[in-house]
Amino acid sequence: MENLSKRLVNKSVEAFVMGIEIYNKPTIHYRIEGFSFFIINAWELMLKAELLNRNESIYFKDDPDRTLSVNNVVNKIYTDKNTRIRINLEKIIDLRNISTHYITEDYEIKYAPLFQACVLNFIKELKKFHDIDITDYIPQNFLTLSASYSPLTNEQIKLKYSPEIAEKLIKQSNEVDVLIKEYDSDKFAINIKQNLYITKKRDKADFEVKINNSSENEVAIVKDYKDPSDTHKYSYKTVITAVNTRLDKKHIKLGYPQGFNTYVLNLFIDFYNIKQNKKYAYEHVIGNQHTFTYSQQLVDFIIAEIKKAPDKFVESLKV
């Protein structure tokens, strides 16, 4: 068992290095998909080695010739489904699973924060479980991922792909945006961004800009167009996730044993006729398929109503 565990760890390190090398090579256009395949393979092998070290089987009980899937292994090691490491892995596993069906390179900037967190999580867990320092195999400076900063807008995605694929990509992208904001954890995502600030202190500036006040051209906003893909980013599932996350942060306990779940959300939607209010819900129609996404205002509204009377909240929706 010890020899098998070591072999799995060695293969895990190789898969990890392969993923990093593929992602940071600018000439490879398949790097998001390639990285997701190798990084998940690295995690699977590393965690299976840890199971062996714990004297646990890595095979299915009813099929001893077949090893556990990566999802099975992740669930065994990280038993709490709300563990940020587990949620991060589950999102990247989802990406790996759909890479053969959908183009994902246009959303590289969306996944880059999850990838970077996944890399750092792997390094820490490899050290914790197997006492291996990854910098013995790859230099520290290569562990920072180089992301493309030219993502397509939702409108460009809609023009480039069929309605079905565009809807899938935008929905995934919005879910990532929502979870990054709600979880606010570097174990789930590490944002890669630059913030610009205007200051009059020249010695504090990284570069200088100027404003031309002599221009005769005047501009004004003629129409404030809001894309529902931007204003209504929450899926049904992420509304539940967001509400539960905020309740936990505010230490608010709902007076309902099952907590805020699909049943409670359905009660709320029906009670307030949410799907008829464009402020809170937007209906997407593709062919014969009708789906809804929801706004930040809906999550805020739910939290505000719960805070009024957490113990009686669910019962009040049954009236």
Side-chain angles (χ1 to χ4, degrees):
M1 283 295 183
E2 183 180 354
N3 289 336
L4 178 56
S5 175
K6 287 183 177 179
R7 290 202 301 271
L8 290 176
V9 172
N10 289 338
K11 289 180 66 177
S12 171
V13 170
E14 283 195 32
F16 176 81
V17 174
M18 283 279 287
I20 295 293
E21 289 181 346
I22 285 175
Y23 194 87
N24 282 336
K25 195 165 185 177
T27 56
I28 296 179
H29 297 291
Y30 197 64
R31 64 187 201 156
I32 293 181
E33 296 86 343
F35 175 82
S36 65
F37 285 128
F38 281 109
I39 195 68
I40 293 304
N41 184 235
W43 273 96
E44 180 178 355
L45 295 168
M46 188 264 286
L47 295 180
K48 282 180 177 177
E50 172 60 13
L51 285 177
L52 290 175
N53 292 343
R54 298 180 184 183
N55 294 318
E56 295 186 37
S57 175
I58 61 172
Y59 299 92
F60 285 101
K61 290 182 179 179
D62 58 349
D63 190 355
D65 293 326
R66 188 162 70 95
T67 60
L68 298 171
S69 70
V70 62
N71 292 95
N72 296 135
V73 176
V74 169
N75 293 349
K76 277 179 169 288
I77 298 293
Y78 305 106
T79 54
D80 182 355
K81 65 180 181 179
N82 295 313
T83 302
R84 299 305 185 243
I85 291 178
R86 172 171 164 172
I87 297 170
N88 173 275
L89 283 171
E90 288 172 344
K91 287 300 170 190
I92 298 177
I93 290 170
D94 288 343
L95 172 64
R96 183 202 63 174
N97 292 343
I98 68 162
S99 290
T100 55
H101 305 291
Y102 297 99
I103 306 300
T104 53
E105 64 184 32
D106 290 320
Y107 272 119
E108 177 179 358
I109 194 61
K110 295 291 185 179
Y111 290 105
L114 274 69
F115 288 165
Q116 186 65 73
C118 189
V119 166
L120 297 184
N121 290 341
F122 179 87
I123 294 168
K124 292 175 183 176
E125 299 298 273
L126 182 67
K127 180 65 176 176
K128 181 175 79 173
F129 292 143
H130 304 289
D131 196 26
I132 291 177
D133 186 348
I134 199 66
T135 57
D136 291 339
Y137 299 85
I138 185 170
Q140 181 74 40
N141 58 301
F142 281 95
L143 299 175
T144 300
L145 301 181
S146 175
S148 168
Y149 285 87
S150 300
L152 294 182
T153 63
N154 288 339
E155 192 59 36
Q156 289 171 318
I157 289 291
K158 291 175 182 177
L159 292 173
K160 184 174 181 180
Y161 298 110
S162 68
E164 293 79 10
I165 292 179
E167 190 75 11
K168 179 74 174 179
L169 291 173
I170 292 171
K171 182 179 178 181
Q172 278 190 312
S173 169
N174 287 343
E175 186 166 321
V176 169
D177 285 343
V178 167
L179 294 180
I180 288 175
K181 178 180 178 181
E182 295 297 336
Y183 289 147
D184 190 24
S185 166
D186 60 6
K187 284 185 171 63
F188 177 71
I190 296 177
N191 272 315
I192 303 172
K193 63 182 180 180
Q194 292 176 320
N195 292 324
L196 300 181
Y197 302 93
I198 295 178
T199 177
K200 293 182 179 180
K201 298 179 180 179
R202 181 173 293 184
D203 60 323
K204 300 292 184 182
D206 292 321
F207 57 88
E208 297 178 11
V209 297
K210 67 178 181 178
I211 300 173
N212 188 352
N213 293 321
S214 63
S215 173
E216 297 179 355
N217 298 317
E218 295 183 359
V219 296
I221 297 176
V222 177
K223 181 181 180 181
D224 185 12
Y225 170 75
K226 294 184 178 179
D227 186 343
S229 298
D230 292 325
T231 59
H232 294 66
K233 287 190 172 188
Y234 290 72
S235 66
Y236 184 88
K237 180 180 177 181
T238 52
V239 168
I240 296 173
T241 300
V243 170
N244 280 315
T245 300
R246 294 196 195 182
L247 291 177
D248 287 343
K249 287 180 179 179
K250 295 176 182 293
H251 305 292
I252 298 174
K253 188 172 179 60
L254 199 64
Y256 182 68
Q258 288 74 32
F260 189 87
N261 57 13
T262 55
Y263 170 69
V264 180
L265 178 55
N266 283 335
L267 284 178
F268 191 91
I269 289 174
D270 292 340
F271 185 85
Y272 288 102
N273 202 17
I274 293 297
K275 290 183 178 180
Q276 304 304 314
N277 190 330
K278 291 184 178 180
K279 176 182 177 182
Y280 299 126
Y282 185 87
E283 184 177 12
H284 301 261
V285 181
I286 300 178
N288 295 323
Q289 184 179 2
H290 295 246
T291 59
F292 283 86
T293 54
Y294 304 91
S295 67
Q296 171 76 52
Q297 286 95 323
L298 174 61
V299 177
D300 295 339
F301 181 28
I302 294 172
I303 295 295
E305 292 302 302
I306 291 176
K307 287 172 67 176
K308 291 178 182 177
D311 293 337
K312 301 177 181 178
F313 174 73
V314 176
E315 288 300 319
S316 70
L317 299 176
K318 299 177 182 179
V319 178

